[in-house]
Amino acid sequence: MSQLQALQAPQQLTLALSKGRIFEETLPLLRAAGIEITEDPETSRKLILTTNDPLVRVIIIRASDVPTYVQYGAADFGVAGKDVLLEHGGEGLYQPIDLNIARCRMSVAVPAGFDYASAVRHGARLRVATKYLLTARNHFAAKGVHVDLIKLYGSMELGPLVGLSDAIVDMVSTGSTLRANNLVEVEHIMDISARLVVNQAALKMKRGRLQPILDAIEQATRTTA
Ligand code: ATP
Ligand code: MG
């Protein structure tokens, strides 16, 4: 946001959310802060949703774009998975609250029957398909596993089934998608949950309006955890 825009709308707050589980699981936390979203992103084609508070609006964007909008101040705050934040790098973002929603884990998975441990022991060079290049690179480097990473944007489970890769790094919650595709989890990389992120400048300039919302959300996170 330009300085002039910021001066013209000092009180307006913009919250960045993505459709689906982040949106659904953030709703009760917002409600605890007195914010009700008055439109449904699943039925509305609008990208800017109104709330019961004329000074709070919600923008609906791709999950992986949330840190970018907040970094540049186009959104004052937003909700993003730790997976997405690690890939983004977190520049310009203040990350005050683990919301404990959209919980899952990031794991390495391979086709059932592929002896991952043995391949690693023998120093094999593995092809790994993933959306999470940075996190995957760090993980395998720390373990001394040689990998060629292949960047995908979704449906990682398909990679090993059609010979694109030996393994994948993906998000797992119940494991049913892996099972349905005859893949098994062989390494747990980290636990994942969604975080509230705040633009650092907005936190200073709009603190009076933002802080009570952040406090109410944090309180709600603790009581529902
Ligand atoms: P896009 O559709 O833009 O590619 P996405 O597929 O990552 O994004 P979602 O599937 O809604 O979007 O995931 C949003 C966030 O929810 C992820 O960044 C991750 O933190 C978390 N998540 C991903 N998969 C699961 C899962 N199976 N269970 C729980 N949380 C998950
Ligand atoms: Mg998804």
Side-chain angles (χ1 to χ4, degrees), residues 18-23 25 61-65 80-85 101-105 131-132 153-154 170-175 177 192-195:
S18 54
K19 265 194 210 180
R21 55 172 68 87
I22 297 266
F23 184 87
E25 297 184 34
I61 53 184
R62 286 288 291 266
S64 46
D65 287 335
K82 183 179 175 185
D83 51 323
V84 164
L85 292 169
I101 60 170
R103 286 160 61 99
C104 53
R105 55 193 184 271
K131 189 159 129 180
Y132 309 101
Y153 291 88
D170 198 8
M171 232 51 81
V172 182
S173 50
T174 63
T177 307
I192 299 288
S193 57
R195 316 292 161 109

Side-chain angles (χ1 to χ4, degrees), residues 25-34 97-101 212-225:
E25 297 184 34
T26 300
L27 280 185
L29 300 175
L30 286 178
R31 203 165 289 136
I97 308 171
D98 180 351
L99 299 177
N100 252 309
I101 60 170
I213 297 175
L214 303 185
D215 290 345
I217 289 176
E218 176 155 43
Q219 179 71 29
T221 301
R222 279 205 230 100
T223 52
T224 57

